[in-house]
Amino acid sequence: PGGGLVWFTIPMCLATALGLASLSLDLPVTPAEAGQGLVPPATAVHLLGSAGGYCILIMLFMAVTSTGSAELIAVSSLVVYDVYRVYINPKATGKDVLWLSRVAILVFGCIMGGLACLLNLANVSLGWVYLGMGVIIGSAVIPTSFVLLWRKATALGAICGSVIGMILGVTCWLISAAAIYGEVSLASTGGNFPMLIGNLVSILTGGAICT
């Protein structure tokens, strides 16, 4: 919990401060550049010169490497200890575990890198990815919290809530984009109202089904 609170200061304080500063300074940042996450470096460079740009670059490098390493370790641990040693090879030795952990890290790292390249080639903005993640994985938030904090929560309820909530969220997301903008495209699905509807349906139905 403490780590989460510390991390929460980044989007709430840093991003909000730099975003509002960019608006108040009337910096020439286009919507496309804002969607690519270039508002903080533009503000930092305007206020601090090249030093501000270097600070943002260092901070971004540290954030990406720390987050990436945490995800790699988490996925490899899930694959090895929750799948391989439980269902495939309960008698796995330390050497087997180490080898499979390295393979899982390599495979997942290649998948992450490939997906990032595909999203970049498709001109998918950073904002679309952030909000779209809420629609896709938001349904698991309340079920996961219930599993940790509520004695009556069941595995079946958590699984059904996560899966069905995601399906309903994505469905409402696409339908609302088509109803509001007349088409289902990258631009229409990235609109404020389709994203809002998709996120709300995903999160709320996931929790309701789990309950």
Side-chain angles (χ1 to χ4, degrees):
L5 290 175
V6 172
W7 178 89
F8 193 65
T9 60
I10 297 175
M12 281 301 295
C13 298
L14 182 63
T16 302
L18 292 176
L20 293 177
S22 174
L23 291 174
S24 62
L25 294 171
D26 197 20
L27 297 181
V29 180
T30 65
E33 292 172 340
Q36 294 296 328
L38 297 178
V39 173
T43 306
V45 170
H46 181 83
L47 295 175
L48 302 175
S50 59
Y54 288 123
C55 289
I56 292 292
L57 180 61
I58 294 172
M59 182 186 67
L60 182 62
F61 173 78
M62 295 175 65
V64 171
T65 52
S66 62
T67 304
S69 64
E71 289 183 355
L72 291 172
I73 296 299
V75 170
S76 66
S77 298
L78 288 173
V79 171
V80 172
Y81 293 105
D82 293 344
V83 177
Y84 182 71
R85 292 196 67 175
V86 175
Y87 301 105
I88 300 176
N89 186 9
K91 298 181 180 180
T93 63
K95 185 178 180 180
D96 295 332
V97 169
L98 181 61
W99 179 83
L100 186 60
S101 297
R102 292 174 175 174
V103 172
I105 289 174
L106 177 62
V107 172
F108 185 67
C110 292
I111 292 174
M112 286 201 316
L115 180 61
C117 292
L118 289 176
L119 292 175
N120 186 53
L121 290 174
N123 294 321
V124 179
S125 68
L126 207 56
W128 194 98
V129 173
Y130 283 154
L131 296 176
M133 284 175 57
V135 180
I136 297 171
I137 66 175
S139 59
V141 173
I142 296 179
T144 302
S145 301
F146 281 169
V147 168
L148 296 174
L149 303 174
W150 189 30
R151 290 184 178 181
K152 295 183 179 181
T154 63
L156 180 61
I159 294 172
C160 291
S162 301
V163 175
I164 297 175
M166 180 195 69
I167 294 173
L168 292 176
V170 172
T171 302
C172 293
W173 179 32
L174 299 179
I175 291 176
S176 60
I180 296 173
Y181 298 102
E183 63 176 359
V184 177
S185 63
L186 192 63
S188 64
T189 54
N192 290 331
F193 286 107
M195 281 291 188
L196 176 62
I197 293 171
N199 275 272
L200 287 177
V201 171
S202 179
I203 294 174
L204 296 179
T205 55
I209 294 171
C210 180
T211 304

